Structures are given as C-alpha cells and as structure tokens.
Amino acid sequence: MQKEVKYGILGGIVVVLLVLLFWNGYTVDTGEVAIISNFGKVSKIETEGLHFKIPFVQSRAFMETREKTYIFGKTDEMDTTLEVSTKDMQSIKLEFTVQASITDPLKLYTAFQSKYEQRFIRPRVKEIVQATISRYTIEEFVSKRAEISKLIFEDLKDDFAIYGISVSNVSLVNHDFSDDYERAIEKKKVAEQEVETAKAHQQKLLVEQENKVKLAEYELKEKELKAKANAIESNSLSPQLLRKMAIEKWDGVLPKVSGTDKLMFNVSLRD
C-alpha cells in the first residue's frame, strides 16, 4: 500500500512537471526573437528554435525582427494618413510607407517594451515628415518630392539607428490637397511655360537679327576690299604699260580694208 502511494505521488509529480514543461515551452520562429525577463527585468534574448522558461520566474515577449513595412494611410483596420502643413501653411494629406527591420531588439525593448511601434516609430515618423515638409512651399513640395523623400529617409535612418532599428526605404505613396489649389498650380505652370516659350522666341529673333547685321558687315567689308583692289589696279596701269600690253597681245596681222587701193599703216612706238 505504501509503495502504491509512493508511486502515485511520483507519478503525480511527473505529470505536474510535464504539464509545466508543456505550458512553459515555446517556439521562436525565423525572423523573430523572444525577450526573456526574470521578475520583470530583461535578462536575455532567445532566437529561433524550441525553448523553455522557468515557471513563475521568467516571462517572455516576442518581437518581429524581419523587415516590415509600416503604412501611414488608409487600410482595412484604420486610417493613419498623415496630415502635415507646408511652409506657406497649406495642408497636405500624405500616404507614406517606411520599410525597417530591428537589428538590436534588446535596446528597443528596453526603451519601449512591446509597444515600440505606438510609442516610438509612428510618432517619430510623423514628427520628421512634418519637420521636413514645413521647409517647403506647397509648389516646392510638388516639384521636389524626390528630394523631400531623401531628406526624410536620412533623418529617420539616423534617429531609428539609436534604438536598434535599420530603415531601408521610405516612400511618398500619394498626396492630396484641395482641387482649387491643384488647378491654381497647374495654371501657374502653364503661365511659366508660356513665358519661357516667349523668351526662347525673343532669343531666336535676336540671334537672327545679329546674324543679319554680321552678314551685312561682311558684305560691306567685301565691297570695300574689292574697291581698294580695283583702285590699286587702276593706279598701276600707266599709258606706257597699256601700250606695251597691246603690242604683246598683237598677233602681227594688219587689219584689212576693202574698197581702197592703198593701205596705210602707221605705228608709232614711243618709250
């Protein structure tokens, strides 16, 4: 009877231990970690695989470390669209995304525990986006979206790294402001384009006029050079030189005169 009681007690203890092991065993998946705390104080981090914790002493909290996209916009669960103001006090609604992964879960958990997204990531993103866009007018925002995205990325990257978060990309997905202001911007762009076109046309006319002036100056210089050449040539042709040139060109044949018996020919050569 005593042996049966003893075996029963041992069996009960084994069952209790198995139950405790079952309820205190856990699995960590790939791309996440488990933060283990002893009486509320963080003690270690467990990576993927099967693990056990000490009952009533240790507690665990899971944290996803793989890259995740944080959406600021309309989703099925909620609307987290960012509403910010520009330098000229125009309101813009932004749909924005941040891609990031956790590189130091212990540092992030120590600072914000499991509520790091609500306590740090989302408010800090909104703060940096607002601070960056407030440096630009609404027109500059439209024309410099790439520049603004780059500045936001650099600021978020530096800020998040302090708490063990690595930012890989940010994106301005969409923006929205009043239809009247969009039409005003479009009209201004059209007007600016028309001004640029007029300037280009005026520049073309100016170049053409300059070319005409240069051509006229060239033709005038050409005429002056020809006139000078003719004057030099005329001054160099003396009567003696002209007679000599005529004799050199004479072929020795006298001109024939019909209707007369006598042919008179008198050539006088003088120096």
Side-chain angles (χ1 to χ4, degrees):
M1 184 69 179
Q2 291 180 349
K3 287 184 177 180
E4 292 178 356
V5 173
K6 185 177 180 179
Y7 288 140
I9 293 173
L10 289 174
I13 292 172
V14 170
V15 170
V16 171
L17 289 174
L18 289 174
V19 170
L20 289 174
L21 286 174
F22 176 78
W23 286 108
N24 290 279
Y26 59 94
T27 301
V28 179
D29 295 331
T30 301
E32 67 178 18
V33 296
I35 312 294
I36 306 301
S37 301
N38 294 333
F39 297 109
K41 182 179 180 180
V42 177
S43 61
K44 62 179 179 178
I45 293 177
E46 299 286 8
T47 56
E48 60 186 49
L50 179 62
H51 303 278
F52 297 92
K53 68 182 182 67
I54 301 172
F56 312 113
V57 175
Q58 293 181 325
S59 61
R60 71 181 186 275
F62 292 101
M63 180 179 287
E64 186 178 356
T65 57
R66 66 173 64 88
E67 185 170 88
K68 180 180 178 181
T69 299
Y70 299 91
I71 299 173
F72 297 80
K74 294 180 180 180
T75 63
D76 295 336
E77 294 80 15
M78 63 182 72
D79 185 358
T80 54
T81 303
L82 298 176
E83 187 164 355
V84 296
S85 298
T86 61
K87 185 178 180 179
D88 50 350
M89 302 306 294
Q90 296 296 324
S91 180
I92 304 176
K93 290 184 178 181
L94 291 178
E95 291 183 18
F96 192 79
T97 62
V98 178
Q99 291 175 263
S101 58
I102 298 172
T103 57
D104 193 338
L106 183 59
K107 183 183 292 185
L108 184 61
Y109 186 84
T110 301
F112 304 103
Q113 295 188 340
S114 297
K115 298 181 179 180
Y116 57 89
E117 182 175 344
Q118 295 80 10
R119 292 179 177 178
F120 174 65
I121 292 178
R122 289 193 172 275
R124 190 62 181 133
V125 168
K126 184 175 182 180
E127 182 181 342
I128 289 178
V129 170
Q130 173 61 75
T132 304
I133 292 178
S134 65
R135 305 177 206 168
Y136 298 84
T137 65
I138 195 168
E139 294 176 28
E140 290 172 336
F141 167 80
V142 173
S143 61
K144 297 180 179 181
R145 282 183 55 176
E147 177 184 316
I148 293 171
S149 295
K150 184 177 179 181
L151 290 174
I152 293 173
F153 171 74
E154 294 296 336
D155 287 346
L156 282 177
K157 184 178 179 182
D158 294 340
D159 249 32
F160 279 27
I162 297 173
Y163 294 101
I165 303 176
S166 175
V167 179
S168 60
N169 186 52
V170 301
S171 179
L172 279 168
V173 179
N174 196 11
H175 66 274
D176 184 32
F177 34 81
S178 69
D179 295 338
D180 291 339
Y181 205 86
E182 284 186 347
R183 285 192 290 270
I185 291 175
E186 189 61 30
K187 286 181 180 179
K188 185 173 181 179
K189 286 184 177 180
V190 171
E192 289 174 349
Q193 186 61 42
E194 289 176 350
V195 170
E196 292 299 321
T197 302
K199 286 182 179 179
H201 182 65
Q202 291 176 355
Q203 188 66 26
K204 180 182 177 182
L205 293 176
L206 181 60
V207 171
E208 290 178 350
Q209 189 64 31
E210 289 177 351
N211 289 337
K212 288 180 180 179
V213 172
K214 290 179 180 179
L215 181 60
E217 291 175 348
Y218 173 79
E219 291 176 349
L220 179 61
K221 288 181 179 180
E222 186 178 22
K223 289 180 180 179
E224 290 176 350
L225 291 173
K226 286 183 178 179
K228 289 180 179 179
N230 291 334
I232 293 172
E233 184 178 359
S234 299
N235 293 334
S236 64
L237 295 178
S238 61
Q240 293 85 354
L241 181 59
L242 291 174
R243 284 195 296 272
K244 182 178 179 182
M245 291 172 62
I247 294 172
E248 290 175 349
K249 290 183 179 181
W250 182 45
D251 57 3
V253 179
L254 296 173
K256 296 179 180 180
V257 181
S258 58
T260 181
D261 294 336
K262 294 182 180 180
L263 179 64
M264 297 182 67
F265 180 73
N266 183 19
V267 177
S268 175
L269 295 178
R270 297 179 182 175
D271 294 336

